[in-house]
């Protein structure tokens, strides 16, 4: 079930000058169940350039406080105006949208999953890690950035599993891209999940295939409606063209025609 509601801004924290953590609450009722990888379509008022809603992944959920946390990289008019919000203001949101990553039933055995995030693509991995950990599985995080300052929320990730990092400038963790990290050679995983820039996800998918490990990615194709009406988010798959906003954003990479 999807909701269209005015959520209240509860807090807004700057993690860096261009990254915010935005906490939205529903003052009336409990939030519906939300899967990691699902997203919110946010209406942004007061700007002629932002008449289309902006899709933002669900970074975390606090069931008791009825709140959703969003990690936002302020890149353009829409996301920058979210950075100017104040506590108590409202944002009209459609949620939860898309399919989401799977949390396997623990009755099928404890699974060890490698969750990979690049840049703001780390956002859905926190909720995925939380839900896997709370279900009794072992999430392991591999987060990559150009530099140490690009690696966000590390304390929050480490509450749910081991955290490994890579940076291109050697300021933190191992040097290079996430696909260069030594964990690939040292450990085995039941599956891999990734979200970030498309070249990163493609490289992860290729490596996972070499290790014969199932791989799931969350695509961030440009979106307008977010509900399957405008066809602007099409991705080519082995079953033909599909809307990422409704059939995704999470796909098994064996369904994609990337190579
Ligand atoms: C399913 C989904 C989940 C997302 N989750 C998050 C999230 O958790 N946090 C977050 O900060 N952003 C997320 N994004 C990206 C976010 O929607 C865009 O950054 C945002 O719409 C840009 O709006 P804007 O008005 O600030 O910038 P615009 O003025 O619209 O664009 C500014 C620049 O960003 C580029 N851009 C716009 N959208 C995207 C995109 N989807 N991917 C790459 N580049 C883009 C534009 O081409 C332009 O160069 C997600 C996108 C999708 C599709
Ligand atoms: S964003 Fe409109 S169909 Fe997907």
């Amino acid at each position: 079930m999807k909701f269209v509601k005015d959520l209240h801004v509860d807090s807004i924290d700057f993690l860096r000058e261009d990254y915010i953590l935005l906490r939205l609450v529903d003052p009336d009722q409990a939030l519906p169940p939300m899967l990691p990888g699902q997203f919110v379509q946010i209406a942004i008022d007061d700007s002629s350039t932002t008449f289309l809603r902006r899709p933002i992944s669900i970074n975390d959920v606090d069931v008791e406080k009825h709140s959703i946390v969003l990690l936002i990289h302020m890149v353009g008019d829409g996301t920058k105006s979210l950075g100017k919000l104040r506590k108590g203001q409202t944002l009209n949101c459609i949620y939860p949208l898309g399919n989401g990553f799977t949390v396997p039933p623990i009755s099928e055995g404890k699974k060890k999953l490698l969750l990979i995030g690049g840049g703001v693509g780390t956002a859905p991995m926190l909720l995925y890690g939380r839900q896997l950990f709370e279900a009794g599985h072992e999430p392991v995080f591999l987060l990559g950035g150009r530099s140490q300052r690009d690696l966000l929320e590390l304390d929050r990730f480490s509450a749910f599993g081991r955290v490994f990092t890579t940076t291109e400038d050697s300021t933190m963790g191992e040097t290079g891209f996430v696909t260069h990290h030594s964990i690939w050679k040292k450990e085995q995983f039941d599956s891999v999940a990734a979200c970030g820039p498309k070249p990163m996800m493609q490289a992860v998918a290729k490596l996972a295939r070499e290790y014969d490990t199932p791989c799931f990615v969350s695509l961030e194709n440009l979106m307008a409606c977010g509900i399957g009406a405008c066809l602007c988010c099409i991705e080519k798959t082995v079953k033909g063209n599909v809307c990422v906003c409704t059939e995704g954003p999470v796909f098994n990479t064996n369904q994609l025609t990337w190579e």
Side-chain angles (χ1 to χ4, degrees):
M1 186 162 167
K2 311 294 172 213
F3 291 79
V4 186
K5 273 203 88 164
D6 285 338
L7 298 179
H8 291 215
V9 176
D10 186 48
S11 64
I12 176 160
D13 296 310
F14 278 76
L15 303 185
R16 240 174 59 171
E17 68 282 1
D18 53 347
Y19 275 90
I20 53 166
L21 266 189
L22 178 63
R23 185 181 292 270
L24 302 173
V25 291
D26 185 333
D28 309 320
Q29 62 186 63
L31 293 165
M34 300 207 206
L35 298 172
Q38 288 190 306
F39 61 97
V40 178
Q41 276 280 74
I42 302 178
I44 294 164
D45 297 333
D46 306 328
S47 167
S48 57
T49 59
T50 58
F51 64 94
L52 295 171
R53 288 173 183 265
R54 297 303 196 251
I56 301 290
S57 304
I58 298 164
N59 176 238
D60 205 1
V61 176
D62 187 328
V63 177
E64 284 178 11
K65 293 183 178 159
H66 303 186
S67 68
I68 305 176
V69 179
L70 307 174
L71 171 68
I72 297 166
H73 188 195
M74 295 181 289
V75 291
D77 285 352
T79 46
K80 281 178 186 163
S81 72
L82 295 176
K84 294 178 191 145
L85 289 165
R86 294 287 168 262
K87 184 177 168 76
Q89 283 184 270
T90 57
L91 269 185
N92 188 266
C93 298
I94 310 177
Y95 58 95
L97 296 172
N99 59 354
F101 290 104
T102 303
V103 178
I106 196 68
S107 55
E108 291 175 6
K110 181 173 177 171
K111 308 284 185 206
K112 183 171 156 189
L113 295 91
L114 183 61
L115 310 193
I116 301 177
V120 78
T122 56
M125 294 305 160
L126 187 76
L127 181 61
Y128 196 19
R130 172 192 285 283
Q131 292 193 358
L132 288 167
F133 173 79
E134 289 175 353
H137 298 295
E138 183 189 354
V140 177
F141 302 101
L142 176 55
L143 310 175
R146 287 202 184 92
S147 186
Q148 180 174 11
R149 66 191 300 274
D150 300 316
L151 299 173
L152 305 166
E153 300 192 281
L154 297 183
D155 289 351
R156 300 182 74 209
F157 280 106
S158 62
F160 307 123
R162 290 178 290 147
V163 180
F164 298 90
T165 57
T166 57
T167 51
E168 290 168 47
D169 66 359
S170 309
T171 46
M172 192 171 190
E174 295 188 14
T175 303
F177 298 131
V178 287
T179 42
H180 298 145
H181 199 280
S182 58
I183 197 168
W184 288 95
K185 292 196 176 113
K186 288 185 193 153
E187 300 192 27
Q188 286 188 327
F189 298 94
D190 293 298
S191 69
V192 172
C195 184
K198 194 167 183 180
M200 182 207 91
M201 292 193 285
Q202 289 174 317
V204 167
K206 189 161 175 266
L207 195 55
R209 194 160 50 249
E210 282 168 30
Y211 284 99
D212 207 16
T213 307
C215 182
F216 299 84
V217 291
S218 183
L219 302 185
E220 293 198 350
N221 292 17
L222 290 176
M223 291 184 185
C225 70
I227 52 168
C230 70
L231 306 186
C232 87
C233 62
I234 291 293
E235 181 76 26
K236 207 170 156 192
T237 73
V238 294
K239 293 179 188 158
N241 289 339
V242 301
C243 290
V244 171
C245 64
T246 50
E247 304 293 316
V250 177
F251 292 89
N252 186 325
T253 53
N254 67 15
Q255 297 296 300
L256 300 173
T257 56
W258 277 351
E259 287 151 295

